[in-house]
Amino acid sequence: MPISFRVNGKEHTLDVEEDMPLLWALRDELGLTGTKFGCGIAACGACTVQVDGMAMRSCSVPVSYADGSDITTIEGLAATHGAEEGGLSPLQQAWIERQVPQCGYCQSGMLMAVDALLKDNPQPSDDEIGQAITNICRCGSYPRVVAAIRDVTRA
Amino acid sequence: MAFDLKKPTRRQMLIGGGLAGGALLIGVAVSGPSRRDREDEIAAEGGERFVITWLKISPDNVTTVYVPHSDMGQGPITALAMMAAEEMDADWNLVRAEQAPAEPEFANESLGLFITKGRTAPDMLAGAAETLWYNVAKFMSMQITGGSMAVRYTGQHGMRIAGAAAKEMLVKAAAARWDCSTGDCEVRESIVYRKGKNQSATFGELVADAAEYSPSAAPTLKTPDQYRIVGKPTKRFDVPGKVDGTARYGLDARPEGLVYAALRQSPVFGGKVKRYDASEILKRRGVKQVVELPVGVAVIADNFWRAKEAAAALDIEFDDGGNGGVSSASIFEGHEKALTGESTEDKETGDAEGALKNAARVIEASYRVPYLAHATMEPMNCTVWVHDDKAEVWVGNQDPLGTRARIAEMTGVDYDNVKVHPMLLGGGFGRRIPYRAGFSEFPSEIDYAAMIAREVDAPVQLVYTREDDMRHDAYRIAVANRMKAGLDADGNPVAWQNRYVYKDEPAEAPHIPYAVENQSIRYVDNPTSVPRGPWRSVAHTQHTFFNESFMDELAHEAGRDPYDFRMALLKDKPRHRAVLRLAAEKAGYGGTLREGHAFGLAVQQSFETIVAEVLEVSLDEDNRPRVHKVTCAVDCGRVVNPDTAEAQVQSAVIYGLTAALYGQITIEGGAVAQGNFPDYPMVKIAETPVIETHFIDSGAAMGGLGEPGTPPVAPALANAIFKLTGKRIRELPMSIHDLSPASGKFAQAAD
């Protein structure tokens, strides 16, 4: 049964197994490689995308669940903030200003998760950030993730 | 990229590459044997030099720096470009940097230094000594990023010299054009000016003329007071692509016609395929073929998920290679047995045996650390396409050139026909090295990708699942030791004895900086079936835990404060004293702490950098350690990019803290028991302490920064736990210990 959804505003119809995780539909069927594979069991957050505005770990979301949804990946994050082609969201700009990424592999998921948090809770406390953002970063970019969030929430 | 290199005619360090496409090329070469891949040819052409670093100055006045190191996020590409630009007096806005291609012309300087110092390449980087390939690699195929070497070797001895020589050539060209002396010229922001006259020319305008000059072998370098780029926080070139999804890691390689491979491997190290039946899984959607490897079966499909699901469903049996009985318990049992047997000298000074006999008090302790996985965020992967007697490789790793040689050997394709496309690395930490000690027993994903590609008529991307990655790593070795020390009647250590398992790199890791007159440091070995490899800071991780914990034990036994005790024993080590003092001062060590909090400290020199860390720790309501603050003092000589330097120390501390709190890979039935993050947990934002980093600009020879922040974390934490609970932690990780008052270990009150 074909599955249809919008990814970053663009319609896609896929004829794939219903239980294929959204991650692999994005990466291997649609070629959107900005969303990363980290653990496959929703434990690390590298694959976080937004499904109808909610942060979800796409490695553990069956593609059928996303049928009819609006999906935003890192490639489309800036546009949801009204940025022009090639532009960035304020959060992404703060990420550059604070030089958050090191190897950078987890940062797509980190940004998608933080963006979703700030939509729900524009002024999170440190504890709320710690509880909501459980993405793993082996480079230890955490102090700068928090600093960049603070730059945006104070602005 | 093709470089037309003027054949160097005399022994010199610098090569003017002349003009290529209108741009001036400058390279720094090291003397060394040739890149030919046969030993007799190496001998015949010995002395040929190869170039390790290139600068290109284009007519549009843009300077491009080609960096022969992988950027795993530690920032060498930007830092090395800064060092070249500094010496050139370039306009930073006109500087670009790229990772050098995997061509022998970009073998890196660190290798050259190992050779010129009369040392061979370190085992941790060089793989199996018995293969011819090793010999080739030793001489030419290394483009290693590891050992915290990029800035201090390639930067100091390559980039700075190339930059300074380029500037001299450009100034000579300008002086000739204006018919004045070079002393009448000055350089600012990529422009040469004639002093006192209204004449100037950009670097770009001078490149054609400058190419006529030979670079000076010993150009004048700037002094630190003249720096205007080095030492300033500078934004990295690689960051923008990492926030908008455009950065391409190994796993993101998408050559036309790509298929995916998932591997069903023997869980037991050394196990082999006994039988399998692929008929059922070959009927699955998207599954194209299977490829049998000695250690397992690869399933090829048009989507990685389909490949991995089919691999999981494959009907297969393995034998255990005789290793099915190996466990962490049996390995440590073997270690303990080895420790009572014959040992080999590491360092002997004075008469430790005699001093122990005469000591007023003898203190003994045994320590252990477990295996550790690297758990890079990007699981291991490698994409290979073998076609028409050629091989193309897409991989992000710590040695693109070594990969090229390895792929040539594994595919049988001629070295010159192997093309490596270096991709970004989703974390390295020592894991992404294409070959390693004991290689012949422990092949890597690079080998498997090559073996699979030989059988597949398309580019094929081998991807490890997280479970594959965690169960088939090259682990930080699990080791044990036995410590014995003697104190005199005043509590001063007079003897230090250490028997430890496995002599690893770097050689000095087991040594102590403290003035103890009689030392006997010796090692034993107890080989196991578990693959081992370098892990961030390598042997310093275990030895710093052993030595700095035991030093703390001695301080408490002597009734002295651990800080004062160390300072007294560091009387001949002013740099150590300075970092320890600074860390203690900034942390407020010795002052009043909140109820239930305690300090622990440790200091270690690694990769020529000295780091002291003071941890402020408490126990939470479940009696688990909670680290509130880590105060670091760092003497790495001089900091190139303070922004990335701070990030590297934070990174190293968090990496070390994860290992100290939770890190533990255990072996059961010959295989790794853990498989994914829930059983190999990581520190996350909620547990991240405040990390404060203070640099000392000592002007000493530059040290590395990617690793030295890691070693002091575990002992400083254990020392704080002792202070809090009276319980001495002699085995990591913390999570295996019951720290509750009810554990009955509280009897020994902390002083």
Side-chain angles (χ1 to χ4, degrees):
Chain A
M1 200 179 73
I3 292 156
S4 299
F5 45 58
R6 280 168 302 285
V7 182
N8 303 328
K10 199 176 158 198
E11 285 284 348
H12 293 278
T13 300
L14 288 176
D15 178 17
V16 297
E17 299 88 324
E18 288 190 357
D19 56 344
M20 177 182 286
L22 178 59
L23 170 67
W24 300 108
L26 292 169
R27 287 185 57 85
D28 293 1
E29 303 294 320
L30 300 180
L32 289 168
T33 55
T35 304
K36 303 304 186 195
F37 166 52
C39 69
I41 58 166
C44 79
C47 64
T48 306
V49 299
Q50 292 174 8
V51 180
D52 294 330
M54 285 216 347
M56 301 197 108
R57 294 184 172 180
S58 64
C59 73
S60 301
V61 175
V63 71
S64 53
Y65 176 90
D67 194 25
S69 316
D70 257 310
I71 296 162
T72 305
T73 70
I74 187 68
E75 290 93 341
L77 176 62
T80 65
H81 290 265
E84 287 170 20
E85 177 88 30
L88 296 172
S89 72
L91 198 63
Q92 288 168 303
Q93 278 160 4
W95 244 241
I96 293 178
E97 208 45 50
R98 285 281 177 180
Q99 297 280 289
V100 173
Q102 290 185 35
C103 91
Y105 191 79
C106 72
Q107 298 296 340
S108 297
M110 194 75 85
L111 280 158
M112 297 311 292
V114 171
D115 184 80
L117 167 68
L118 296 183
K119 272 191 279 199
D120 276 358
N121 180 358
Q123 295 290 334
S125 67
D126 283 352
D127 279 352
E128 286 169 336
I129 292 172
Q131 276 164 27
I133 307 302
T134 55
N135 298 47
I136 296 173
C137 170
R138 282 295 268 156
C139 300
S141 64
Y142 305 132
R144 291 185 175 198
V145 166
V146 175
I149 294 172
R150 287 283 162 251
D151 287 350
V152 173
T153 58
R154 282 196 197 107
Chain B
M1 188 177 335
F3 287 111
D4 269 335
L5 169 64
K6 272 184 195 167
K7 191 89 180 158
T9 53
R10 58 192 171 84
R11 293 188 78 81
Q12 61 184 19
M13 277 299 287
L14 278 148
I15 295 168
L19 284 171
L24 175 67
L25 288 168
I26 307 275
V28 176
V30 270
S31 295
S34 103
R35 65 178 202 81
R36 300 322 308 172
D37 55 0
R38 287 180 37 204
E39 281 174 315
D40 54 341
E41 289 178 348
I42 290 172
E45 293 185 26
E48 181 183 320
R49 50 184 57 75
F50 41 90
V51 176
I52 54 105
T53 202
W54 283 99
L55 291 181
K56 184 176 84 178
I57 305 162
S58 310
D60 62 359
N61 210 22
V62 167
T63 296
T64 306
V65 181
Y66 297 95
V67 177
H69 287 279
S70 305
D71 203 323
M72 302 174 270
Q74 79 286 35
I77 291 183
T78 307
L80 296 187
M82 288 169 72
M83 295 173 89
E86 180 67 68
E87 295 294 342
M88 289 175 72
D89 282 316
D91 177 350
W92 181 247
N93 295 316
L94 296 173
V95 175
R96 311 282 178 265
E98 290 178 20
Q99 182 175 354
E103 300 292 337
E105 289 79 2
F106 290 94
N108 62 35
E109 171 86 350
S110 41
L111 165 69
L113 280 201
F114 277 113
I115 290 172
T116 55
K117 279 181 176 171
R119 296 156 66 180
T120 55
D123 287 345
M124 68 171 182
L125 302 177
E130 68 269 23
T131 65
L132 171 63
W133 178 81
Y134 169 82
N135 290 315
V136 179
K138 190 164 71 174
F139 291 123
M140 47 65 65
S141 282
M142 291 178 72
Q143 204 173 49
I144 287 278
T145 302
S148 298
M149 294 190 286
V151 163
R152 58 203 176 107
Y153 290 164
T154 307
Q156 284 290 75
H157 303 284
M159 291 299 167
R160 291 185 66 201
I161 290 166
K167 183 170 102 173
E168 282 190 5
M169 291 162 73
L170 292 158
V171 167
K172 277 182 192 164
R177 186 178 286 189
W178 299 325
D179 196 20
C180 66
S181 79
T182 54
D184 291 333
C185 300
E186 61 184 349
V187 181
R188 292 191 306 272
E189 308 282 320
S190 296
I191 299 171
V192 185
Y193 295 90
R194 187 171 178 191
K195 290 179 200 163
K197 306 271 183 187
N198 191 22
Q199 282 175 310
S200 67
T202 67
F203 285 175
E205 290 162 355
L206 292 165
V207 291
D209 294 358
E212 298 301 314
Y213 296 92
S214 284
S216 133
T220 308
L221 299 175
K222 290 167 83 168
T223 51
D225 57 299
Q226 298 168 318
Y227 288 172
R228 18 160 236 107
I229 297 172
V230 168
K232 290 214 177 107
T234 304
K235 291 199 164 45
R236 286 176 13 228
F237 292 110
D238 55 316
V239 166
K242 291 175 175 176
V243 306
D244 65 9
T246 58
R248 290 283 173 267
Y249 298 82
L251 209 57
D252 303 329
R254 287 293 181 273
E256 190 66 32
L258 181 68
V259 295
Y260 303 85
L263 195 51
R264 180 77 179 275
Q265 276 194 70
S266 163
V268 176
F269 297 118
K272 297 220 172 356
V273 176
K274 203 151 78 181
R275 59 154 287 278
Y276 72 98
D277 176 359
S279 54
E280 282 304 312
I281 66 161
L282 282 167
K283 294 176 195 159
R284 289 179 165 226
R285 180 174 172 186
V287 174
K288 292 173 178 296
Q289 70 184 93
V290 297
V291 178
E292 186 179 348
L293 307 176
V295 296
V297 171
V299 179
I300 317 300
D302 59 358
N303 172 305
F304 178 66
W305 176 73
R306 291 184 182 125
K308 93 177 169 72
E309 293 293 303
L314 176 65
D315 172 18
I316 188 168
E317 282 177 61
F318 300 97
D319 69 37
D320 67 7
N323 294 327
V326 176
S327 66
S328 287
S330 76
I331 288 167
F332 277 111
E333 212 171 284
H335 287 352
E336 296 302 337
K337 196 170 165 223
L339 283 168
T340 62
E342 283 287 298
S343 59
T344 308
E345 176 177 338
D346 179 335
K347 183 180 177 183
E348 293 272 1
T349 53
D351 173 17
E353 201 71 30
L356 279 167
K357 275 190 198 120
N358 298 323
R361 242 183 314 164
V362 174
I363 295 113
E364 292 183 70
S366 299
Y367 285 82
R368 279 183 181 187
V369 292
Y371 289 106
L372 293 174
H374 297 78
T376 60
M377 289 310 298
E378 180 193 21
M380 293 302 115
N381 63 86
C382 182
T383 305
V384 183
W385 185 19
V386 179
H387 61 103
D388 308 320
D389 298 325
K390 295 189 183 69
E392 279 190 81
V393 187
W394 292 260
V395 68
N397 74 18
Q398 292 174 239
D399 185 10
L401 262 179
T403 300
R404 183 173 167 182
R406 191 69 203 160
I407 292 286
E409 184 176 307
M410 297 305 298
T411 57
V413 170
D414 190 74
Y415 177 84
D416 290 330
N417 290 334
V418 177
K419 183 167 175 54
V420 175
H421 304 271
M423 308 293 285
L424 286 171
L425 293 77
F429 317 119
R431 174 67 178 88
R432 284 193 150 89
I433 291 177
Y435 45 83
R436 50 199 183 225
F439 176 81
S440 48
E441 306 100 285
F442 308 128
S444 76
E445 59 286 343
I446 303 282
D447 301 274
Y448 299 146
M451 291 177 194
I452 295 164
R454 281 190 312 217
E455 309 298 326
V456 176
D457 192 21
V460 56
Q461 181 168 87
L462 172 63
V463 180
Y464 273 25
T465 61
R466 174 59 57 192
E467 290 78 10
D468 293 332
D469 187 275
M470 199 166 281
R471 291 177 179 147
H472 298 281
D473 197 339
Y475 303 88
R476 197 289 304 276
I477 194 166
V479 285
N481 86 337
R482 289 183 178 190
M483 294 286 208
K484 201 187 262 192
L487 301 180
D488 68 14
D490 299 324
N492 301 310
V494 291
W496 175 275
Q497 193 189 73
N498 180 3
R499 298 285 178 272
Y500 67 88
V501 176
Y502 188 52
K503 176 73 180 168
D504 201 350
E505 302 275 347
E508 69 277 12
H511 305 164
I512 52 170
Y514 302 105
V516 181
E517 205 177 315
N518 305 292
Q519 296 184 28
S520 170
I521 303 172
R522 304 177 70 88
Y523 62 92
V524 299
D525 199 4
N526 173 40
T528 75
S529 58
V530 182
R532 62 181 184 235
W535 186 97
R536 199 172 194 168
S537 83
V538 203
H540 286 285
T541 59
Q542 66 261 30
H543 287 291
T544 307
F545 173 64
F546 299 160
N547 292 341
E548 282 294 276
S549 297
F550 193 56
M551 195 46 80
D552 219 70
E553 295 202 45
L554 300 189
H556 288 286
E557 288 289 338
R560 306 256 287 279
D561 180 87
Y563 172 81
D564 297 331
F565 190 72
R566 283 178 174 79
M567 287 299 264
L569 291 170
L570 291 169
K571 56 183 190 290
D572 304 323
K573 301 276 182 183
R575 291 177 65 206
H576 284 76
R577 285 173 62 89
V579 291
L580 197 51
R581 184 183 300 116
L582 183 63
E585 272 173 19
K586 295 291 183 184
Y589 185 90
T592 330
L593 272 174
R594 283 180 56 188
E595 171 98 23
H597 287 220
F599 284 126
L601 57 82
V603 60
Q604 176 73 350
Q605 176 167 6
S606 61
F607 309 98
E608 314 297 328
T609 291
I610 307 169
V611 180
E613 290 170 14
V614 178
L615 270 58
E616 183 184 337
V617 183
S618 70
L619 295 183
D620 69 12
E621 60 271 24
D622 299 319
N623 295 300
R624 289 174 310 203
R626 167 84 214 196
V627 180
H628 299 271
K629 189 175 176 188
V630 180
T631 308
C632 312
V634 180
D635 177 0
C636 58
R638 188 175 305 286
V639 171
V640 174
N641 187 350
D643 190 71
T644 48
E646 183 206 48
Q648 279 309 294
V649 176
Q650 290 174 345
S651 171
V653 165
I654 292 169
Y655 204 81
L657 187 58
T658 287
L661 288 171
Y662 309 120
Q664 174 173 230
I665 290 291
T666 52
I667 309 299
E668 290 169 22
V672 167
Q674 293 73 20
N676 207 319
F677 291 119
D679 31 66
Y680 192 68
M682 301 284 135
V683 165
K684 298 177 187 172
I685 285 178
E687 299 145 281
T688 299
V690 172
I691 304 172
E692 223 181 73
T693 307
H694 303 276
F695 288 96
I696 294 177
D697 188 11
S698 71
M702 272 195 185
L705 266 181
E707 300 169 275
T710 297
V713 179
L717 175 60
N719 295 341
I721 293 295
F722 178 77
K723 196 89 174 154
L724 275 175
T725 67
K727 182 166 183 171
R728 177 57 66 181
I729 302 299
R730 298 193 183 92
E731 182 174 1
L732 292 176
M734 285 294 158
S735 55
I736 64 173
H737 299 285
D738 180 1
L739 299 177
S740 65
S743 71
K745 303 279 182 178
F746 259 75
Q748 183 187 11
D751 49 359

